[in-house]
Amino acid sequence: MLSAGCEASRRLDTYPAGALAVQYEPASDYSACLVASVTMAANYLAGEHRYAEPAMLAELRQAGLDPSRAGDLKRHLSGKGLHLLTLAGRLEGRPPAGLFYWLRERGYPVICVINRSGTNLAYNHAVVVIGAQEPSSERTGGAVHYLDPSADEPLQTCTLATFEEMWQRGQWAMMVVLKPPADPSESDG
Amino acid sequence: MNRHARLSAIVLTLFAGTALAATPGRPAALTPAQYRALVHIEQQPEHAAVLDVQATYTSERDRSMEATRLSDDFWTVAYDAGLPGSILIVLICAAPL
């Protein structure tokens, strides 16, 4: 099924092989796609359904924070002992900004801001990337699998080229929900 | 070595050897040094700009629903104003053009 107006994202019925089994959390409001995405990622990190989108949305509003702004979500999560890593991402496997790096090598779902409609920032939309297949050596193929908190069919997939175009319009915004080490000031050794 | 090159060298050193044969079943924990490096990197201007990124719209369906609402509002006004009134409103709105 093609999403109207979208460059060939289509729904999936089952999680693709190798995709992270992130539990879906729908957005309760048109401005809550980022909150829902952060909730999904935070629950996956916790290994349980610890956070709910409606409650987090209410907390943000009560605190006078903007639930659609990345910086405000970062601030809100810090109060919960979590760190929202905010980077301008890349469609590659190198750390620290490589999408494939976080997905495959570290096992984290990645929140990406995409724009299916063009350059109007009003149509920026947050989704949770749970899997990706890099193109073959013949430079063909490749796909990105993501959960859309606002779609009727939440599990979607599209080609790498399509995702790259949508993500570029979203200013390559990439977020990862992290659990800071117990004492970040400690040395590793 | 400029600052960007130094940061890149630090990142490659801290994150080298983290490649795994398969995707981890659970998110791999960060070491304190890796965490500190990430916090430092995200403060660089190219990454700090992401803090101001907003995601508000949900889907094409909502966009088309908004267009429908605008259309409905126009025709409601046109109906209430009647045909002569509608023509007058259009002429007034088009006057600046």
Side-chain angles (χ1 to χ4, degrees):
Chain A
M1 181 185 79
L2 297 179
S3 300
C6 172
E7 298 89 343
S9 279
R10 60 183 177 84
R11 73 178 174 99
L12 296 173
D13 294 319
T14 58
Y15 281 62
L20 304 177
V22 176
Q23 185 178 2
Y24 181 67
E25 184 87 7
S28 60
D29 184 89
Y30 75 93
S31 65
C33 56
L34 183 57
V35 179
S37 296
V38 165
T39 302
M40 284 190 257
N43 284 334
Y44 185 79
L45 180 65
E48 60 181 2
H49 193 259
R50 184 176 297 175
Y51 309 101
E53 181 266 358
M56 192 173 291
L57 184 61
E59 289 169 0
L60 283 156
R61 288 174 171 165
Q62 194 168 13
L65 297 173
D66 182 352
S68 70
R69 184 178 174 271
D72 286 29
L73 267 293
K74 185 190 200 77
R75 183 175 163 186
H76 183 65
L77 284 190
S78 69
K80 296 183 178 300
L82 297 173
H83 183 91
L84 185 66
L85 181 68
T86 47
L87 297 172
R90 294 176 186 163
L91 209 58
E92 61 182 34
R94 289 184 300 174
L99 177 68
F100 304 140
Y101 169 75
W102 286 100
L103 279 173
R104 297 222 206 81
E105 296 190 25
R106 300 211 74 96
Y108 285 80
V110 180
I111 301 162
C112 293
V113 176
I114 62 173
N115 192 319
R116 297 186 179 104
S117 303
T119 55
N120 188 337
L121 298 180
Y123 301 117
N124 278 0
H125 181 42
V127 298
V128 181
V129 179
I130 61 170
Q133 295 164 303
E134 294 185 68
S136 65
S137 57
E138 292 79 28
R139 307 291 293 173
T140 58
V144 173
H145 313 299
Y146 60 90
L147 291 172
D148 186 330
S150 304
D152 291 334
E153 304 291 342
L155 186 54
Q156 299 277 330
T157 190
C158 63
T159 65
L160 276 180
T162 297
F163 187 82
E164 185 174 32
E165 187 175 356
M166 296 192 295
W167 196 18
Q168 182 179 24
R169 295 184 197 138
Q171 301 150 270
W172 303 107
M174 180 176 102
M175 287 156 266
V176 183
V177 178
L178 305 174
K179 178 69 176 174
D183 186 352
S185 62
E186 276 185 6
S187 61
D188 287 356
Chain B
M1 180 185 288
N2 63 25
R3 187 177 188 191
H4 182 76
R6 279 202 302 273
L7 270 176
S8 298
I10 290 169
V11 166
L12 289 173
T13 301
L14 286 172
F15 292 91
T18 57
L20 301 170
T23 301
R26 293 290 306 145
L30 296 167
T31 66
Q34 288 173 334
Y35 177 74
R36 288 195 301 271
L38 288 171
V39 170
H40 184 64
I41 287 164
E42 67 177 350
Q43 294 171 355
Q44 303 310 303
E46 65 171 301
H47 299 300
V50 173
L51 293 173
D52 291 324
V53 171
Q54 290 178 281
T56 56
Y57 244 91
T58 54
S59 68
E60 281 300 304
R61 182 181 65 183
D62 292 282
R63 189 164 75 112
S64 64
M65 282 174 64
E66 185 186 20
T68 301
R69 281 193 292 269
L70 287 172
S71 173
D72 287 347
D73 288 344
F74 170 78
W75 288 111
T76 298
V77 169
Y79 180 81
D80 291 343
L83 182 58
S86 299
I87 294 173
L88 183 61
I89 291 171
V90 170
L91 288 174
I92 291 171
C93 292
L97 303 175

